[in-house]
């Protein structure tokens, strides 16, 4: 039987660093889980069903999310185009509440080919967090080695260093940024974009062009929160330490823990929270 819908908020024991040293604490986390959106419709009198997208989300209002997605992609024009929307009845613990099926009204015409070109699709029901992490292992992502370390005082300086590198943000106030630093705090490179994922892609892409595909001697600083997708990109690039100005989602922490990435959030001059990999940070 299903264990119930995933919560929107979780808690976790963390280590909090301040100028007087380490403190044990309990932190509230925004939950992050994949949501698979499926379509069901009739074609030439035959029932059809297809997975069209997977998105990371905070659980809750999943039907509204799916309808908004379908409307934004011009699959539907109104709620009347959807006969029924429900969680996946065939799946159990905990996938059922991570899969939404929208059944379209008969005769509705939509461009399925465009969806297939623009969005990641899958026939798998394994969209729970555990299955997502296992997929990374299947793709050949190994656990990161230990040994790399940084000073706690260095991490507290990185938000200011990142802000100084954000030329366009200073002018517009509307961009995310990602930057790479050495273990001694030297800026290797930084990139900006309206999308946090784009900023990191630009940063890693620049390193690839420079001949660096393994960034196991670098620290990644993010201007916003640390999500699963950002940690996934850091894992593929083999970045051992990820620090973020904002919070870390629950699935990002699960990924960091599974692959031995040091993950710090709420990084400020006064300190930061460490969710995983505390051993890489010298206090």
């Amino acid at each position: 039987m299903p264990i119930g819908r995933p919560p929107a908020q979780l808690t976790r024991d963390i280590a909090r660093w301040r100028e007087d040293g380490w403190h044990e604490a309990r932190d509230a986390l925004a939950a992050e889980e994949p949501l698979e959106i499926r379509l069901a419709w009739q074609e030439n009198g035959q029932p059809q069903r297809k997975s069209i997208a997977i998105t990371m989300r905070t659980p809750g209002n999943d039907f509204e999310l799916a309808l908004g997605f379908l409307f934004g992609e011009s699959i539907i024009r109104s709620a009347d185009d959807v006969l029924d929307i429900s969680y996946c009845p065939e799946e159990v613990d905990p996938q059922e509440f991570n899969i939404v099926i929208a059944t379209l009204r008969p005769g509705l015409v939509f461009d399925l080919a465009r969806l297939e070109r623009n969005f990641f699709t899958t026939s798998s029901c394994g969209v729970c967090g555990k299955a997502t992490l296992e997929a990374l292992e299947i793709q050949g992502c190994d656990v990161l080695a230990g040994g790399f370390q940084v000073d706690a005082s260095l991490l507290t300086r990185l938000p200011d260093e990142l802000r100084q590198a954000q030329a366009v943000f200073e002018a517009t106030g509307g961009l995310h940024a990602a930057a790479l630093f050495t273990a001694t705090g030297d800026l290797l490179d930084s990139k900006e974009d309206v999308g946090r994922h784009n900023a990191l892609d630009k940063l890693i892409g620049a390193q690839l062009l420079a001949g660096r595909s393994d960034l196991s001697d670098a620290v990644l600083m993010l201007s916003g929160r640390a999500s699963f997708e950002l940690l996934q990109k850091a894992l593929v690039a083999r970045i051992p330490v990820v620090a973020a100005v904002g919070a870390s989602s629950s699935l990002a922490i699960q990924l960091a823990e599974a692959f031995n990435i040091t993950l710090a959030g709420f990084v400020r001059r006064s300190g930061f929270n460490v969710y995983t990999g505390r051993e890489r940070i010298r206090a």
Side-chain angles (χ1 to χ4, degrees):
M1 294 297 293
I3 60 173
R5 302 184 185 187
Q9 181 175 303
L10 305 170
T11 59
R12 179 185 176 90
D13 292 325
I14 65 166
R16 182 168 289 148
W17 189 85
R18 297 293 184 266
E19 293 180 352
D20 60 346
W22 291 105
H23 303 269
E24 303 302 320
R26 189 80 177 166
D27 195 32
L29 309 175
E32 183 180 30
E33 287 278 344
L35 179 70
E36 180 178 345
I37 300 173
R38 296 180 182 178
L39 283 184
W41 72 99
Q42 294 282 330
E43 187 173 303
N44 298 323
Q46 298 297 316
Q48 306 290 328
R49 180 178 292 188
K50 190 173 185 65
S51 174
I52 60 169
I54 291 180
T55 183
M56 294 297 176
R57 99 293 192 195
T58 298
N61 302 114
D62 294 330
F63 296 165
E64 291 88 341
L65 189 158
L67 289 174
F69 173 83
L70 295 175
F71 182 78
E73 297 304 319
S74 299
I75 301 300
I76 63 174
R77 298 297 183 183
S78 73
D80 294 335
D81 289 334
V82 178
L83 290 182
D84 179 72
I85 186 165
S86 65
Y87 289 108
C88 186
E90 299 93 347
E91 301 302 327
V92 295
D93 183 17
Q95 284 95 328
E96 176 186 4
F97 294 108
N98 282 334
I99 302 171
V100 166
I101 301 176
T103 302
L104 304 180
R105 65 172 175 80
L108 182 66
V109 177
F110 62 95
D111 186 359
L112 182 62
R114 187 182 66 82
L115 277 177
E116 292 175 337
R117 289 192 299 270
N118 291 341
F119 295 96
F120 169 72
T121 61
T122 177
S123 59
S124 170
C125 285
V127 296
C128 65
K130 182 176 183 293
T132 304
L133 297 178
E134 289 173 350
L136 291 176
E137 295 176 355
I138 294 171
Q139 292 168 14
C141 294
D142 298 322
V143 174
L144 270 64
F148 181 83
Q149 286 190 312
V150 295
D151 290 335
S153 58
L154 167 66
L155 288 185
T156 63
R157 299 198 304 269
L158 293 187
D160 289 340
E161 297 286 341
L162 179 63
R163 178 59 63 85
Q164 291 177 18
Q166 288 186 259
V168 181
F169 179 88
E170 287 300 321
T172 66
L175 291 184
H176 287 284
L180 285 172
F181 295 87
T182 67
T184 55
D186 295 323
L187 177 65
L188 294 172
D189 196 6
S190 67
K191 292 290 182 285
E192 293 180 283
D193 196 275
V194 291
R196 58 174 64 89
H197 307 93
N198 296 340
L200 183 52
D201 283 339
K202 289 178 179 180
L203 183 65
I204 293 174
Q207 295 302 303
L208 289 174
L209 288 175
R212 299 189 71 207
S213 59
D214 186 327
L215 304 177
S216 56
D217 58 351
V219 178
L220 173 63
M221 186 70 213
L222 302 171
S223 64
R225 68 182 183 90
S227 66
F228 170 83
E229 290 164 305
L230 294 178
L231 264 292
Q232 180 180 3
K233 295 175 187 294
L235 169 63
V236 174
R238 315 303 292 168
I239 301 172
V241 177
V242 178
V245 171
S248 297
S249 73
S250 62
L251 195 54
I253 294 171
Q254 289 181 45
L255 188 156
E257 192 167 49
F259 291 93
N260 193 30
I261 296 173
T262 297
L263 178 58
F266 295 109
V267 181
R268 305 286 190 276
R269 279 186 172 272
S270 59
F272 49 83
N273 294 345
V274 177
Y275 303 101
T276 61
R278 173 175 161 179
E279 64 278 0
R280 285 198 183 94
I281 301 177
R282 294 186 296 257

